[in-house]
Amino acid sequence: EAVRQQLVDDHFLFMSGDRNLQVAGMERDWPEGRGIFHNTDKTFLVWVNEEDQLRIISMQKGGDVLGVFKRLAKGIQAVGDSVQAESGKGFMLDEKYGYVHSCPTNLGTGMRASVHIDLPGWTAHGVDKLKARCEELALQPRGTRGESGGQTGITYDISNKHRLGYSEVQLVQTMIDGVNKLYEEDLALQKKHGI
């Protein structure tokens, strides 16, 4: 139990109790039909049977987005090769719609590239204004406690908004360009608000 709680506290393990997942029948086997696998450094994780049947995650502290992306690509290939060798089947991929997911917001590449960033200037300027600016930049702001965890403090999880119709490289670049722009604007907003 202590290990499970530490994984939840570190935001590595999904939690039960999401009403939308329950209504959709996606929590009926909780926790027996689910699991998490991770490397020693907890920079590469595979969630099994959370919102999607399989969620592959690469993350680390700092700004090495390319390193995170390379680890993700290598890990996806390794997991796909393992699934293929074990079952003779590959990931479900539709030529037009991309990868098939349980969660419709992930239709397409399924790629959600994000960073946690402190934006005190935008916070002082207004969270609704930040949300509107993110919309213009094709980004999605969230709190650091996940999609439905709400916002606390000045730290935001900023990610690409779209999944469908773009390549993984395009989505990561959208996130990088947008976060750089938000940071630049945040510095000006800090001065404006005397922070």
Side-chain angles (χ1 to χ4, degrees):
E1 176 59 23
V3 171
R4 186 197 70 77
Q5 188 58 52
Q6 185 61 52
L7 289 169
V8 169
D9 293 344
D10 291 340
H11 305 285
F12 296 150
L13 186 62
F14 39 84
M15 293 176 32
S16 181
D18 184 305
R19 185 72 187 128
N20 294 320
L21 296 180
Q22 290 169 342
V23 168
M26 295 170 66
E27 283 203 18
R28 62 183 173 273
D29 297 323
W30 182 266
E32 288 78 20
R34 298 166 184 230
I36 182 173
F37 300 89
H38 60 80
N39 65 359
T40 304
D41 296 331
K42 296 182 183 170
T43 57
F44 185 79
L45 303 92
V46 178
W47 287 358
V48 179
N49 291 331
E50 192 241 2
E51 274 187 25
D52 294 312
Q53 290 84 6
L54 191 67
R55 186 168 290 187
I56 302 172
I57 302 165
S58 177
M59 62 184 183
Q60 71 186 45
K61 291 185 178 187
D64 185 10
V65 176
L66 180 60
V68 172
F69 187 76
K70 285 181 177 180
R71 182 185 320 109
L72 179 65
K74 183 178 175 184
I76 290 170
Q77 185 65 52
V79 171
D81 291 348
S82 177
V83 168
Q84 182 71 38
E86 184 70 26
S87 68
K89 299 179 192 246
F91 293 131
M92 293 175 60
L93 178 63
D94 180 273
E95 195 172 299
K96 182 176 180 182
Y97 297 113
Y99 290 97
V100 178
H101 300 272
S102 298
C103 183
T105 62
N106 290 332
L107 189 63
T109 67
M111 168 70 73
R112 180 177 171 273
S114 72
V115 297
H116 286 188
I117 183 170
D118 289 346
L119 297 171
W122 273 109
T123 303
H125 196 58
V127 175
D128 288 338
K129 291 177 183 176
L130 172 61
K131 289 179 182 178
R133 182 63 175 130
C134 284
E135 183 72 28
E136 294 170 357
L137 297 169
L139 299 175
Q140 179 181 40
R142 298 179 179 183
T144 56
R145 294 181 304 182
E147 191 171 7
S148 55
Q151 173 57 35
T152 58
I154 62 168
T155 306
Y156 298 84
D157 178 320
I158 306 290
S159 64
N160 54 291
K161 180 178 180 181
H162 303 292
R163 314 281 190 274
L164 185 60
Y166 302 90
S167 73
E168 290 86 348
V169 172
Q170 288 173 309
L171 295 174
V172 171
Q173 194 62 56
T174 294
M175 184 274 300
I176 291 169
D177 293 343
V179 166
N180 285 336
K181 188 68 174 167
L182 287 174
Y183 177 74
E184 178 185 303
E185 293 167 352
D186 190 75
L187 294 176
L189 289 169
Q190 287 180 48
K191 287 181 183 174
K192 177 181 178 180
H193 293 283
I195 299 172

